[in-house]
Amino acid sequence: MNERRETPPPWSPAFSAECPVGVAHQAWIETSITWFVREFGRDPALRPIVLPRPDLRSADYTGTPKQINDVVAWVCGLMEIDRSELTVELFDREGEDPAAREGRRAVGHYYVEDGRAVIGLDVTEASDAAYLIAVIAHELCHVRLLGEERITNQRKDHERLTDLLTVYFGFGVFSTNAALRFGETTRGFSVQPLGDLDERTLNAARHDDYSRLGYLTEREFGYAMACYAWLRGETEPPWASHLDPGPRTFLRQGLAYLTRAAAPGEFPTNRTGAIPVSIRVVLATNPAWLSGLHLMARGTAWPPNPPGHRPS
């Protein structure tokens, strides 16, 4: 006789889970998001989360320059950036030495020229709209952070902070899913993992060719998405189904942890006696080249300059 056993949902206090990231990473994520609230207000986190648009998944979307420009304008509107004050450069890798494509390569960049913000986008990635949106969101978050002189690029974690800001502005589904991408379009799995698994672990037997985008790991993105949901008062976020299975597990684990460790809408780091973490903001400099988003190919060390890293 098979009796169906009822199990508590992962976000229930009865569900045993620890924070999916280490103490230092947890404190950095929570304190940085708290800083976002002070800098940008709560509105960006409380708006409807941005999800894939049906028109960008249709056969009509091929990543033409006009379509790219339309996507940029759409993301600018959601991020409260004046598109008319932004220059967009499109570049590709035609004629590039194949050996140069191995390892770390730029898929986006940001700089200021004659007082005007410029973002560059790799058109070879433009046919994948979701991936393109992740790149655009990252570069536009540079505009909100560096361009508005909230931080300087001399701050060692400025690229990681930029990745995290994409989550706060509602683009976390795109950034998180783009954090680890495989060469094959069809992933070929439907189960949701349980435990300490990521997308690479799930697909190791099926996919050997993969690449990483950005500066946060899947585990960090998953916990950042949990903190984002926690700010919104969502313990069962309906948008979680749009995340790939690996980070979705870290999201659920993060919500389970936050349910037990913090009051609604607050973070454990902010509790009395928690590890003190300060955010230092300094005046921005004005170099010609400020930042770039890179794709890390298989076999490349990751993450670049993780917290606590010191050159040997």
Side-chain angles (χ1 to χ4, degrees), residues 194-226:
L194 296 175
D196 188 13
L197 296 175
D198 58 18
E199 292 295 294
R200 180 178 175 183
T201 305
L202 283 173
N203 295 274
R206 191 181 298 266
H207 301 282
D208 293 324
D209 184 18
Y210 65 89
S211 56
R212 308 197 72 137
L213 178 72
Y215 297 83
L216 297 183
T217 65
E218 276 191 305
R219 185 179 291 273
E220 290 171 316
F221 266 124
Y223 186 61
M225 292 296 281

Side-chain angles (χ1 to χ4, degrees), residues 62-74:
T62 57
T64 66
K66 181 184 183 306
Q67 289 172 330
I68 294 173
N69 183 66
D70 289 343
V71 175
V72 170
W74 173 62

Side-chain angles (χ1 to χ4, degrees), residues 170-186:
F171 288 87
V173 167
F174 298 93
S175 300
T176 301
N177 288 346
L180 190 65
R181 189 179 69 166
F182 291 84
E184 296 182 26
T185 302
T186 303

Side-chain angles (χ1 to χ4, degrees), residues 8-288:
W11 49 87
S12 166
F15 185 88
S16 177
E18 299 298 326
C19 184
V21 297
V23 174
H25 291 196
Q26 174 193 349
W28 178 83
I29 290 170
E30 294 175 6
T31 307
S32 297
I33 292 178
T34 300
W35 181 73
F36 292 158
V37 173
R38 295 200 302 268
E39 285 291 306
F40 302 101
R42 279 186 173 264
D43 284 351
L46 299 180
R47 297 168 190 156
I49 190 171
V50 186
L51 298 175
R53 288 167 42 183
D55 62 311
L56 296 180
R57 290 181 290 179
S58 70
D60 294 333
Y61 177 82
T62 57
T64 66
K66 181 184 183 306
Q67 289 172 330
I68 294 173
N69 183 66
D70 289 343
V71 175
V72 170
W74 173 62
V75 178
C76 279
L78 294 173
M79 286 204 175
E80 301 179 342
I81 294 172
D82 188 344
R83 172 65 182 87
S84 66
E85 297 182 359
L86 178 73
T87 297
V88 178
E89 296 179 339
L90 303 180
F91 61 90
D92 60 43
R93 305 191 311 279
E94 286 188 12
E96 182 182 45
D97 182 354
R101 301 184 187 183
E102 298 297 326
R104 189 171 185 263
R105 66 175 178 81
V107 293
H109 59 246
Y110 162 79
Y111 64 95
V112 176
E113 185 175 56
D114 297 328
R116 186 179 179 86
V118 180
I119 66 168
L121 304 171
D122 182 358
V123 296
T124 62
E125 305 290 345
S127 61
D128 184 339
Y131 195 73
L132 175 68
I133 290 169
V135 176
I136 293 171
H138 178 95
E139 300 308 334
L140 292 183
C141 280
H142 278 310
V143 176
R144 297 304 313 264
L145 289 172
L146 295 173
E148 295 177 7
E149 299 187 350
R150 299 177 190 273
I151 64 169
T152 169
N153 69 320
Q154 298 303 309
R155 178 172 162 163
K156 291 183 178 180
D157 68 343
H158 82 275
E159 288 286 7
R160 290 169 53 77
L161 196 70
T162 303
D163 264 356
L164 188 62
L165 186 59
T166 66
V167 173
Y168 190 75
F169 270 91
F171 288 87
V173 167
F174 298 93
S175 300
T176 301
N177 288 346
L180 190 65
R181 189 179 69 166
F182 291 84
E184 296 182 26
T185 302
T186 303
R187 288 186 167 88
F189 61 84
S190 58
V191 298
Q192 179 170 331
L194 296 175
D196 188 13
L197 296 175
D198 58 18
E199 292 295 294
R200 180 178 175 183
T201 305
L202 283 173
N203 295 274
R206 191 181 298 266
H207 301 282
D208 293 324
D209 184 18
Y210 65 89
S211 56
R212 308 197 72 137
L213 178 72
Y215 297 83
L216 297 183
T217 65
E218 276 191 305
R219 185 179 291 273
E220 290 171 316
F221 266 124
Y223 186 61
M225 292 296 281
C227 290
Y228 170 79
W230 194 244
L231 274 183
R232 296 161 60 87
E234 296 176 320
T235 55
E236 302 181 47
W239 43 261
S241 61
H242 291 273
L243 291 173
D244 287 340
R248 191 190 315 147
T249 293
F250 298 133
L251 161 69
R252 290 162 63 87
Q253 184 180 348
L255 283 173
Y257 167 75
L258 289 168
T259 298
R260 295 196 319 277
E266 297 181 3
F267 298 131
T269 299
N270 296 335
R271 294 180 308 178
T272 302
I275 297 175
V277 178
S278 63
I279 296 292
R280 184 169 64 92
V281 180
V282 297
L283 293 177
T285 56
N286 188 31

